[in-house]
Amino acid sequence: MNSANNAAVVVGVDGSESALRAVRLAATEAARRHRPLRVVHGFIWPLLHVPLSPAPGAPPGGGLRHRAEELVEAAVREAEATAPGLSVSGEIIDGEAAAVLVGESPTAALIVLGDRGLGGFAALVVGSVAVQVAAYADCPVLVARGAQRPDEPVLVAVDGSDASRQATEFAAETAVSLNVPLVAVHAYRHPGSSAPGDMQPLVYDEAKLHAEQERMLAGWLTGLTESHRGLRLTCRAVHGRPGTVLAEASGSAQLAVVGGRGRGEVTGLLLGSVSQSMLHHAQCPVVVVRGPH
């Protein structure tokens, strides 16, 4: 989380039901973090040179700019109703939605957005704006998707990478704040089974391999309970494809936290395969941690 005292939680809205779910989640997060909430709408029409005022003879209050003002005002009211007493502001910013939200990220504590916006293709599990913002933002990005399970633990994906360590710190802080357990999951495969089809080696000692992976996981998390007082930590090493293992585990979590790019990812990728998979398949809200928190 951005350490600046005035760093706000920022939520992107577009008038969709997905965005309203994100507003409610963002308001809850902002109240929990004692941060103000900024409701932001990326207003793309000026870039396309589309007339913004009502057409001649149209009723007063028409036009694209007025419609944008209405949807921001509705989102602000939704946030205030969700978290009474929360400081909430709204702003319309000219620009494409993903670019506007990424532009907010250097000074934000957290960016929140829905998994699908207006005009999203029915076949897409997660919208392009969510993927772009998660890939480029300079702060953690929370995508509102799946079911709300307020009594369930926080889930974090662990693989020993720098991104994983950032994600683990974020997840531990969140779990302590929510007073719920943290479940740290490390998904592994058999040596030599990373190719498509997961060809299995002819000889391996499953028990030995599992014990080694458990030791690695424990080593990666050394000192976490000491540095986060009150943290209740459960560690699980699970054989399987990381995306599949984590998506299944998210079915009994209230929040899943992943690093932006994991161990062994191709250099230059802005968003790793596991984080992309979770954005598409997680059964609960997902935080992608790439930047400061």
Side-chain angles (χ1 to χ4, degrees):
M1 176 168 66
N2 191 311
S3 60
N5 290 331
N6 61 346
V9 172
V10 175
V11 59
V13 298
D14 62 4
S16 66
E17 179 55 40
S18 175
L20 281 180
R21 289 197 302 271
V23 166
R24 292 188 286 270
L25 183 58
T28 301
E29 281 294 306
R32 180 175 65 81
R33 297 162 179 267
H34 307 289
R35 301 278 185 170
L37 178 65
R38 268 173 53 78
V39 176
V40 171
H41 173 64
F43 194 56
I44 195 172
W45 301 113
L47 278 65
L48 304 178
H49 306 291
V50 174
L52 306 180
S53 302
L64 293 171
R65 177 75 66 176
H66 181 72
R67 171 61 185 138
E69 292 169 351
E70 288 183 330
L71 73 87
V72 169
E73 289 168 2
V76 168
R77 289 194 299 271
E78 187 77 18
E80 290 172 339
T82 301
L86 180 67
S87 174
V88 186
S89 61
E91 186 174 359
I92 298 169
I93 300 176
D94 290 354
E96 188 273 329
V100 166
L101 291 171
V102 170
E104 291 285 312
S105 67
T107 56
L110 181 73
I111 299 283
V112 186
L113 68 167
D115 59 345
R116 283 242 309 275
L118 288 173
F121 293 98
L124 291 179
V125 182
V126 66
S128 61
V129 173
V131 174
Q132 290 177 59
V133 176
Y136 288 96
D138 290 326
C139 70
V141 175
L142 170 56
V143 177
R145 57 169 294 112
Q148 303 295 311
R149 305 183 187 90
D151 297 324
E152 295 298 322
V154 172
L155 171 72
V156 64
V158 181
D159 67 4
S161 64
D162 288 341
S164 169
R165 282 189 283 275
Q166 283 187 308
T168 300
E169 286 292 321
F170 182 99
E173 292 169 8
T174 302
V176 170
S177 176
L178 293 169
N179 193 28
V180 298
L182 174 64
V183 177
V185 174
H186 167 52
Y188 66 93
R189 303 191 205 178
H190 294 107
S193 64
S194 59
D198 272 338
M199 296 293 291
Q200 302 299 327
L202 295 177
V203 178
Y204 61 87
D205 186 329
E206 175 64 42
K208 181 179 179 181
L209 178 62
H210 183 76
E212 289 174 350
Q213 298 298 317
E214 285 189 324
R215 283 194 295 272
M216 286 174 59
L217 176 57
W220 292 330
L221 300 176
T222 298
L224 192 65
T225 54
E226 287 77 11
S227 59
H228 294 83
R229 195 170 184 178
L231 178 65
R232 290 171 283 159
L233 177 64
T234 299
C235 302
R236 292 170 49 199
V238 182
H239 173 252
R241 294 175 179 269
T244 302
V245 167
L246 292 163
E248 182 177 344
S250 70
S252 55
Q254 67 167 288
L255 181 71
V257 184
V258 294
R261 195 155 57 86
R263 181 181 294 276
E265 300 278 9
V266 178
T267 301
L269 287 180
L270 290 167
L271 197 61
S273 58
V274 173
S275 48
Q276 288 213 44
S277 177
M278 288 296 282
L279 286 177
H280 286 83
H281 302 296
Q283 302 174 63
C284 66
V286 177
V287 175
V288 177
V289 180
R290 289 187 66 252
H293 63 279

